[in-house]
Amino acid sequence: EKELFKDLRYPIGKIHEDEFTTYKILYNVDNVAIVDDYLYNYRKNENSITERKFNLKRLDMLEAFEERIQFFEEKKETELYELTQRQYLYTLIENYRKILQNIENPKNVLNMVLAKYRKEYKNAKNNKVITKKDRLKMTISYYCPQAFYGIQYIKSILYEKKNKRKKYKEAAHKYKDYKRTCKKNRQSEF
């Protein structure tokens, strides 16, 4: 409804503008309806944020997360604060990787992202939403962000191999079942 935007505006000059506003709208509504139908479509646009190569403008999202964390902290919404904090930490880790891969001479930007990460990591020490597994990943990233990506890469390769073996076993079982069925059918013909 129009009144939802009464005191709310998309920030000028920022990308990921929905990250700055959507949580405020959802926080201020009384009811939210969820339906199983697909009522929202994306039009693929080669000039959209999601299709373009990573650039530093994408770091606007970090500012949006910082605002959201502050918003939920001020509202004393502990669970929403902790969920946002977890998501922010993972977003920082992911952006660190993207900067390494896509930006030339990234030292200053990497240091800025790493400083934000380390500050928020310390703030998250009592976060109940962060699991032991999350905390392990986050601790590795805290001390050596590049090591985290090495581990993720190795994990993805092992996962692919595991899936290939699983698919091979499934195919072998299907083939054996097929052979048994063929054999039964031939026997029943006689």
Side-chain angles (χ1 to χ4, degrees), residues 5-169:
F5 284 92
K6 181 181 168 195
D7 297 319
L8 189 62
R9 297 287 177 264
Y10 287 112
I12 296 170
K14 302 286 184 190
I15 62 171
H16 300 294
E17 62 278 351
D18 55 327
E19 293 288 346
F20 287 88
T21 55
T22 305
Y23 68 93
K24 292 175 186 173
I25 292 169
L26 292 173
Y27 187 81
N28 288 316
V29 297
D30 294 326
N31 296 308
V32 175
I34 299 172
V35 294
D36 291 331
D37 296 333
Y38 293 100
L39 302 173
Y40 190 84
N41 288 312
Y42 278 100
R43 188 173 64 94
K44 202 147 176 106
N45 178 351
E46 62 189 41
N47 294 321
S48 72
I49 297 168
T50 55
E51 295 298 317
R52 275 187 261 153
K53 185 178 175 185
F54 180 86
N55 63 53
L56 294 179
K57 193 71 178 135
R58 293 234 191 144
L59 297 180
D60 285 352
M61 182 184 286
L62 302 181
E63 184 183 340
F65 269 106
E66 291 159 5
E67 284 185 16
R68 192 181 334 167
I69 286 170
Q70 184 179 354
F71 178 86
F72 289 132
E73 185 176 33
E74 289 171 0
K75 299 288 185 186
K76 299 192 181 340
E77 292 286 353
T78 305
E79 186 177 5
L80 294 172
Y81 169 84
E82 289 181 344
L83 285 165
T84 303
Q85 188 178 51
R86 178 184 181 273
Q87 189 179 7
Y88 178 52
L89 284 164
Y90 275 117
T91 300
L92 284 164
I93 293 169
E94 183 59 23
N95 277 283
Y96 186 93
R97 180 186 65 78
K98 288 177 180 178
I99 292 165
L100 270 175
Q101 290 177 338
N102 296 291
I103 305 298
E104 287 187 41
N105 304 317
K107 187 176 180 182
N108 291 338
V109 181
L110 287 174
N111 287 339
M112 180 269 298
V113 170
L114 199 54
K116 287 176 179 284
Y117 179 80
R118 289 181 171 157
K119 179 183 175 195
E120 201 61 42
Y121 174 87
K122 288 177 182 175
N123 291 340
K125 66 182 175 196
N126 296 320
N127 186 318
K128 293 172 185 67
V129 173
I130 295 174
T131 65
K132 288 180 182 179
K133 188 175 179 180
D134 289 331
R135 189 133 344 250
L136 177 61
K137 291 176 186 177
M138 290 175 182
T139 302
I140 291 169
S141 295
Y142 182 87
Y143 291 104
C144 187
Q146 290 91 341
F148 176 76
Y149 292 109
I151 292 167
Q152 292 297 98
Y153 178 72
I154 292 167
K155 190 176 170 183
S156 70
I157 291 170
L158 293 174
Y159 181 77
E160 284 178 27
K161 285 184 178 182
K162 181 181 172 183
N163 277 347
K164 283 181 183 177
R165 278 190 296 240
K166 185 179 176 182
K167 287 178 182 176
Y168 174 77
K169 285 181 181 178

